């Protein structure tokens, strides 16, 4: 069912109107941090070096970019019959090319191999902020990509907890940010990768937390079925699977994405989706809200037989979880076929 947001009743927890941003004041609780020396996530009092953190992050990204053109070319030229992922790359490239050609994206550019920072992302975030699922949520998990930055801002501005993954899960797992531990002027920075590392609290697999709403980015999404494609790295699926393992979410936890209207497609074949692909329940664009009533089953956890040794080696928290489960069950878990990891986005130097 597709419903245009003008037909919605005005919700008292609406954060934005169509003309300008109207942010709710942040409730500052009794718990406060000593911000004169930002400690590490373990609270050991070591000063946080934002410049060094960002430099290392960009360096790791640059290293991952080196095989971008080669990997993308091989995927696009491969036989769809022998490569079950080839069709996804065709749709992704078509969408990335379209958004570049029509200038539907903001920085960072080019949009290839990333979740596009689409024009109108704040307006789509405003639509999301009207949802009852968002207004009633106390803990919201939001992806760390640029187009969802406003959603992270609205989450922290609305006296909620923000759960966000650390970049590519390579330095850890998730971080939790709490609005009552942030001064209002800190919230904008807290929505960036540096701010998450600076102000967030790292959590592990044993954290007891209930996530009320999941927000994920998309490259393309089918409004009729809820089928979506990300940028091809599989982190949304891995994050979802680990949250299922933790008991933080279940089938009833709403999954929402925000996209440009041009990212709505009808050529994602349901029969070719993998068991670990995460469908979306709600789509918010700059112009409308779509309830998909998706028929696609949600993943029940990590599917180890689909997880390549390369991806496992890349993500420490996955190795920890695998080791834990093997110790608990007394048997070795399967491993998926080997793969060359997909490319990472190129960032133009300015």
């Amino acid at each position: 069912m597709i419903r245009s947001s003008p037909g919605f009743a005005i919700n008292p927890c609406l954060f934005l109107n169509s003309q300008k941003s109207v942010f709710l004041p942040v409730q500052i609780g009794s718990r406060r941090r000593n911000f004169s020396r930002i400690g590490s996530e373990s609270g050991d009092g070591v000063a946080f070096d934002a410049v060094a953190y960002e430099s290392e992050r960009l360096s790791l990204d640059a290293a991952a970019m080196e095989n971008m053109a080669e990997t993308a070319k091989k995927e696009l030229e491969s036989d769809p019959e022998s490569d079950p992922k080839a069709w996804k790359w065709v749709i992704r490239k078509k969408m990335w090319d379209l958004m570049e050609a029509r200038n539907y994206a903001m920085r960072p550019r080019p949009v290839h191999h990333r979740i596009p920072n689409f024009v109108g992302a704040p307006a789509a975030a405003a639509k999301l902020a009207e949802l009852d699922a968002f207004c009633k949520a106390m803990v919201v998990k939001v992806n760390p990509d640029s187009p969802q930055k406003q959603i992270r801002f609205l989450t922290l501005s609305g006296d909620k907890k923000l759960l966000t993954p650390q970049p590519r899960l390579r330095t850890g797992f998730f971080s939790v940010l709490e609005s009552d531990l942030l001064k209002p002027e800190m919230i904008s920075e807290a929505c960036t990768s540096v701010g998450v590392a600076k102000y967030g609290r790292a959590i592990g697999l044993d954290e007891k937390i209930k996530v009320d709403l999941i927000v994920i980015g998309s490259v393309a999404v089918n409004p009729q079925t809820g089928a979506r494609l990300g940028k091809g790295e599989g982190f949304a699926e891995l994050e979802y699977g680990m949250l299922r393992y933790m008991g933080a979410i279940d089938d009833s936890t709403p999954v929402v994405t925000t996209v440009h209207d041009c990212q709505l497609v009808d050529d994602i074949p349901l029969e070719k989706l993998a068991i670990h692909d995460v469908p979306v329940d709600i789509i918010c664009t700059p112009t409308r809200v779509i309830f998909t009533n998706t028929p696609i089953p949600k993943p029940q956890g990590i599917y180890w037989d689909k997880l390549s040794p390369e991806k496992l080696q890349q993500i420490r928290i996955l190795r920890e979880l695998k080791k834990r489960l093997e110790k608990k069950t007394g048997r070795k878990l399967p491993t998926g076929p080997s793969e060359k990891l997909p490319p990472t986005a190129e960032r133009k130097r300015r």
Side-chain angles (χ1 to χ4, degrees), residues 15-290:
F15 294 94
L16 296 176
N17 61 34
S18 60
Q19 301 298 321
K20 61 181 181 178
S21 299
V22 182
F23 300 115
L24 295 181
V26 178
Q27 297 294 322
I28 304 297
S30 58
R31 295 174 293 162
R32 295 183 180 272
R33 290 188 185 185
N34 177 9
F35 291 106
S36 61
R37 278 179 60 84
I38 301 297
S40 69
E41 292 168 333
S42 61
D44 59 10
V46 178
F48 178 78
D49 189 335
V51 174
Y53 176 86
E54 185 68 358
S55 176
E56 181 182 16
R57 185 182 72 84
L58 292 175
S59 176
L60 290 170
D61 281 348
M65 286 180 211
E66 291 181 1
N67 66 357
M68 177 176 61
E70 178 187 352
T71 304
K73 184 178 179 180
K74 286 183 178 180
E75 291 284 358
L76 289 167
E77 293 179 350
S78 61
D79 180 6
E81 297 300 323
S82 60
D83 186 350
K85 297 181 180 180
W87 67 270
K88 292 183 176 181
W89 286 101
V90 171
I91 296 174
R92 289 184 183 111
K93 185 177 186 303
K94 181 180 177 181
M95 182 56 63
W96 287 324
D97 288 347
L98 173 70
M99 297 189 77
E100 280 291 332
R102 297 188 180 179
N103 209 31
Y104 285 157
M106 301 179 290
R107 288 188 298 172
R109 302 278 292 271
V111 297
H112 295 78
H113 307 292
R114 69 172 79 251
I115 300 297
N117 188 17
F118 59 94
V119 172
K127 294 285 190 293
L128 186 147
E130 297 179 33
L131 298 172
D132 285 342
F134 180 82
C135 292
K136 294 176 180 178
M138 298 304 297
V139 180
V140 182
K141 185 264 182 185
V142 185
N143 58 298
D145 299 282
S146 297
Q148 283 72 44
K149 181 179 179 181
Q150 181 71 0
I151 301 170
R152 298 192 293 275
F153 187 96
L154 294 174
T155 298
L156 290 175
S157 298
D159 200 24
K160 305 176 188 292
K161 288 184 181 180
L162 171 66
L163 182 68
T164 192
Q166 297 179 16
R168 290 188 171 80
L169 299 177
R170 61 192 170 203
T171 58
F173 187 28
F174 286 97
S175 291
V176 174
L177 294 96
E178 302 182 43
S179 59
D180 62 354
L181 295 179
L182 296 170
K183 297 177 181 179
E185 62 270 21
M186 296 174 178
I187 292 180
S188 183
E189 183 186 15
C191 299
T192 67
S193 59
V194 169
V196 169
K198 187 174 180 180
Y199 302 125
R201 174 177 64 85
I203 67 171
L205 293 167
D206 295 319
E207 182 84 8
K208 301 302 180 185
I209 189 170
K210 180 182 180 296
V211 176
D212 302 304
L213 180 68
I214 294 176
V215 180
I216 56 179
S218 301
V219 171
V221 60
N222 188 323
Q224 302 300 328
T225 66
R228 69 169 281 279
L229 296 181
K231 60 189 174 187
E233 292 184 299
F235 287 109
E237 288 74 21
L238 292 172
E239 292 157 10
Y240 188 94
M242 285 186 279
L243 288 173
R244 287 296 293 245
Y245 166 81
M246 294 168 62
I249 60 174
D250 56 29
D251 284 340
S252 67
T253 308
V255 179
V256 187
T257 191
T258 57
V259 294
H260 191 277
D261 287 272
C262 79
Q263 292 175 264
L264 302 176
V265 301
D266 60 4
D267 57 350
I268 302 178
L270 294 185
E271 68 275 9
K272 291 187 177 182
L273 292 176
I275 192 173
H276 57 266
D277 286 328
V278 179
V280 300
D281 300 294
I282 307 173
I283 304 168
C284 296
T285 79
T287 65
R288 51 184 162 163
V289 173
I290 303 168

